[in-house]
Amino acid sequence: QVHLVQSGTEVKKPGASVKVSCRASGYTFSNYYMHWVRQAPGRGLEWMGIINPNTSGTSYAQNLQDRLTMTRDTSTSIVYMELSSLRSEDTAVYYCARDLGAPGVDYWGQGTLVTVSS
Amino acid sequence: DIQMTQSPSSLSASVGDRVTITCRASQNIDNQLYWYQQKPGKAPKVLIYAASSLRSGVPSRFSGSGSGTDFTLTISSLQPEDFATYYCQQSYTSWTFGQGTRVEIK
């Protein structure tokens, strides 16, 4: 049974960094790309980027690439999303989502609320 | 960046109504288009992939059409569980989501 379990709620000050984890279980970790998608309160979905857990290769949204880093630890089946230089506009629920290929994403983490406030 | 524009932003409909949501891409995306459904407090769920392919387990009242720049999601007979927000998303170049269409009870 596939599960994606994310780390807990974060509260950060402007200018700080946040690192959110997504622990995968129930499948072969290296076989599926992982996306990160965020959603600000009351707003739409925003794609942040994708990581290949097999190679650690990444692709980031253009507007975030200067502040965003995605990594993975194959020994623990965890992918990480780190966002730096946080601003109030980064307040959102952050989701990891497993990519099934052509049919799209199938499993999602439960979401991690990150609040940026002074 | 490819921009995705959905219309309408919201709509009110009754159970049993036929509902159509449109999505326009700022450039050709072939059929690299997904439709999602999201309910409050939940992660989104893929309904349609490759513009017109129904994801396994999704009711057949949902259908998608289009290619190039113009796409449509149709719900043939709206059910109570279909009241939600719907998003289109392109995967032709990276990913971009539309702004969403909220389907509300009339």
Side-chain angles (χ1 to χ4, degrees), chain A residues 7 9 12 14 24 31 53 59-60 77 85 90 95 98 100 106-107:
Chain A
S7 49
T9 298
K12 296 292 183 181
N31 285 359
S59 175
Y60 301 145
S77 299
S85 302
D90 295 317
Y95 293 101
R98 189 182 82 156
L100 197 55
D106 56 355
Y107 288 93

Side-chain angles (χ1 to χ4, degrees), chain B residues 67-90:
Chain B
S67 67
T69 60
D70 294 310
F71 302 87
T72 299
L73 173 70
T74 299
I75 309 172
S76 60
S77 178
L78 198 65
Q79 297 302 299
E81 59 268 30
D82 300 337
F83 292 95
T85 301
Y86 294 84
Y87 295 91
C88 62
Q89 173 244 309
Q90 67 82 21

Side-chain angles (χ1 to χ4, degrees), chain A residues 6 13-14 20 26-27 33-34 38 48 58 61 68 78 85 93 99 104 108 113 117-118:
Chain A
Q6 298 182 220
K13 294 196 181 302
V20 179
Y27 70 96
Y33 287 48
M34 196 78 78
R38 68 179 181 177
M48 301 180 70
T58 57
L68 180 59
I78 297 177
S85 302
V93 174
D99 193 317
W108 296 73
L113 175 62
S117 174
S118 56

